[in-house]
Amino acid sequence: MSLKHALLGLIDLEPGSGYDLTQRIRNSIGFFWPSTHQQIYKALHELLHEGCLDVEEEPQQHRPDRRIYSMTQHGREELQRWLDKPSPPTKIRDAFLIRVFCAHLWDEAHLVERLNDEQQRHQHVWEVYQRLAGRMDQWPESRRKRYRFARHTLQLGIYIEEAWQRWCRELQELYADK
Amino acid sequence: MSLKHALLGLIDLEPGSGYDLTQRIRNSIGFFWPSTHQQIYKALHELLHEGCLDVEEEPQQHRPDRRIYSMTQHGREELQRWLDKPSPPTKIRDAFLIRVFCAHLWDEAHLVERLNDEQQRHQHVWEVYQRLAGRMDQWPESRRKRYRFARHTLQLGIYIEEAWQRWCRELQELYADK
DNA sequence: CTTGGCATGTAAACTGTTACATGATTCT
DNA sequence: AGAATCATGTAACAGTTTACATGCCAAG
């Protein structure tokens, strides 16, 4: 299960609680491996059971105690083994493209409108990525170095969003002035 | 379930058997909504049950009869209703990017090698898309018109593969001459 | 003689999503 | 007064993947 190894990778960079990891995933690995807190808590329990992680309870008042996870030697070995395996091909799942596929059932004005919405959505995601990247680029050297691969994956996200926007714009032009 | 509507869209363009549709999906909707024949046969049964499709059995010798599915009025209405709904955001799932995220555990030579493999993979997919697009562009006018939206979605695939390749190349350069 | 294409399916296992559950604190 | 944040989970449901099942024909 890739989510487990994603968690090992994150914890290897910096230990944290399920809550912490949920936030961190949302701003990094979540872009190319979407996951909810429910999955994450479950995966953490399993990793703990398998001896890949250690926990330390941090007592809190008025709310559940934080359970801080950190790597074990076994976890590090497991991650290493996984890293050397080949990756299955990327998967995209996009219902909007199914709709475009059926766009002969729309009139062209409606198509252009939907393409415009879609383009704005991708522009928004692009802006989120850019902001995040900009902030990361201002981190102090040591942190920037530690997270440089996270930064690289973000760059791919930026390129992909640009591809989407280009496509939306070109199609809009094609159907707008007809 | 989007797969069902993908099938309705395909059958609306041209009726066919489960087997046909599996092939057609593999070369069109499958690029952004991966689905196996098992899922497809199941979805077809359900659509039939819901009154969205009709079947006609075409007897065959030495192999199971072909069951040719076609649209009903109810199916067309259902598809129309679905088309007007908003689409949930795109999802990417990519285990290679999780690995890159953890690339501090690789030495740089290994990273460059893996990036090279990945780039070739994306180049291969790009070539497949280009070949398909080239063939579609040579179809006779009527068919080309009918499948023009399929052609458009293919173009997005091409752009996305180009984004991937650019990214792989840039990262390789960054880590190659260090 | 083995691989791939044709043609349909069932079933179990695994993964992912959605809804529910609790409860104090801080911000608007 | 209501929403968001912190912090952990359980459970039901939906969707996806993998393995199994059959059997003929054509091509290499």
Side-chain angles (χ1 to χ4, degrees):
Chain A
M1 208 226 277
S2 298
L3 172 56
K4 283 189 186 175
H5 296 96
L7 284 165
L8 289 176
L10 276 167
I11 292 168
D12 188 47
L13 284 173
E14 209 160 341
S17 68
Y19 191 87
D20 294 338
L21 291 161
T22 305
Q23 314 304 312
R24 286 165 61 193
I25 283 187
R26 211 162 27 115
N27 289 306
S28 57
I29 291 178
F31 300 141
F32 44 85
W33 203 277
S35 354
T36 60
H37 78 271
Q38 291 90 333
Q39 282 175 277
I40 292 163
Y41 282 117
K42 192 164 170 274
L44 288 170
H45 287 309
E46 288 169 13
L47 287 165
L48 190 64
H49 231 95
E50 293 160 12
C52 292
L53 295 178
D54 271 338
V55 213
E56 209 171 328
E57 301 249 345
E58 195 179 274
Q60 300 237 126
Q61 284 160 325
H62 307 307
R63 68 186 61 168
D65 297 346
R66 279 162 59 81
R67 299 163 54 80
I68 310 295
Y69 294 93
S70 54
M71 287 296 255
T72 61
Q73 191 51 37
H74 181 242
R76 223 166 275 118
E77 284 161 15
E78 172 55 34
L79 181 56
Q80 269 292 355
R81 258 194 303 281
W82 181 80
L83 280 174
D84 286 333
K85 290 189 200 162
S87 307
T90 318
K91 278 191 187 163
I92 296 178
R93 264 178 208 282
D94 190 287
F96 179 70
L97 289 174
I98 298 179
R99 290 191 166 84
V100 172
F101 192 91
C102 303
H104 56 279
L105 296 168
W106 281 339
D107 60 55
E108 296 192 351
H110 188 245
L111 171 62
V112 171
E113 205 182 297
R114 297 287 297 248
L115 284 167
N116 193 47
D117 292 352
E118 192 66 13
Q119 194 223 299
Q120 276 173 21
R121 211 153 71 161
H122 286 286
Q123 184 168 359
H124 180 249
V125 175
W126 182 87
E127 282 164 8
V128 168
Y129 288 172
Q130 284 288 7
R131 250 198 304 281
L132 235 174
R135 248 181 288 145
M136 287 176 89
D137 291 340
Q138 287 174 350
W139 283 353
E141 160 76 15
S142 64
R143 188 171 184 76
R144 217 166 61 222
K145 190 172 176 193
R146 189 204 289 232
Y147 283 94
R148 69 189 181 284
F149 295 108
R151 178 66 180 82
H152 295 323
T153 61
L154 198 50
Q155 194 59 42
L156 176 66
I158 290 170
Y159 290 163
I160 287 180
E161 293 306 320
E162 285 170 1
W164 267 96
Q165 289 185 69
R166 174 186 173 192
W167 178 78
C168 288
R169 254 183 274 113
E170 285 180 4
L171 260 195
Q172 278 179 83
E173 274 164 39
L174 193 61
Y175 286 96
D177 53 15
K178 276 232 285 202
Chain B
M1 209 227 277
S2 298
L3 173 56
K4 284 190 187 174
H5 296 96
L7 285 165
L8 290 176
L10 275 167
I11 293 168
D12 188 47
L13 284 173
E14 209 161 340
S17 69
Y19 191 87
D20 294 338
L21 291 161
T22 304
Q23 313 307 312
R24 287 165 59 193
I25 283 187
R26 211 160 30 112
N27 288 307
S28 57
I29 289 178
F31 300 140
F32 44 86
W33 202 276
S35 353
T36 58
H37 78 271
Q38 292 90 334
Q39 281 176 278
I40 292 164
Y41 283 117
K42 192 165 169 274
L44 288 169
H45 287 309
E46 288 170 13
L47 286 166
L48 190 65
H49 230 95
E50 292 160 12
C52 292
L53 295 178
D54 271 340
V55 214
E56 209 170 328
E57 301 249 346
E58 195 179 275
Q60 300 238 125
Q61 284 161 323
H62 308 306
R63 65 187 63 171
D65 297 346
R66 278 163 60 80
R67 299 164 52 82
I68 310 294
Y69 294 92
S70 54
M71 286 297 255
T72 60
Q73 191 51 38
H74 182 242
R76 223 167 274 117
E77 283 161 15
E78 173 54 34
L79 180 56
Q80 269 294 356
R81 257 194 303 282
W82 181 79
L83 280 174
D84 286 333
K85 291 189 199 163
S87 307
T90 318
K91 276 190 187 163
I92 296 178
R93 262 178 210 282
D94 190 286
F96 178 70
L97 290 174
I98 298 179
R99 289 190 167 84
V100 171
F101 192 92
C102 302
H104 56 277
L105 295 168
W106 281 339
D107 60 54
E108 297 192 351
H110 189 245
L111 170 63
V112 171
E113 205 183 298
R114 296 288 298 248
L115 284 168
N116 193 48
D117 293 351
E118 192 67 12
Q119 196 224 298
Q120 277 174 21
R121 210 153 74 161
H122 285 287
Q123 185 169 357
H124 180 250
V125 175
W126 182 89
E127 282 163 9
V128 169
Y129 288 171
Q130 285 287 7
R131 251 197 304 281
L132 236 173
R135 248 180 288 146
M136 289 176 88
D137 291 341
Q138 287 175 349
W139 283 353
E141 160 76 14
S142 63
R143 188 171 184 76
R144 215 167 62 224
K145 190 172 178 194
R146 189 204 289 231
Y147 282 94
R148 69 189 183 285
F149 294 109
R151 177 67 181 80
H152 294 324
T153 60
L154 198 51
Q155 193 59 43
L156 176 66
I158 290 170
Y159 290 163
I160 286 180
E161 293 305 322
E162 285 170 2
W164 267 96
Q165 288 185 68
R166 174 185 174 192
W167 178 79
C168 287
R169 254 183 273 114
E170 285 180 3
L171 259 197
Q172 277 180 83
E173 273 164 40
L174 193 61
Y175 286 96
D177 53 14
K178 279 231 286 200

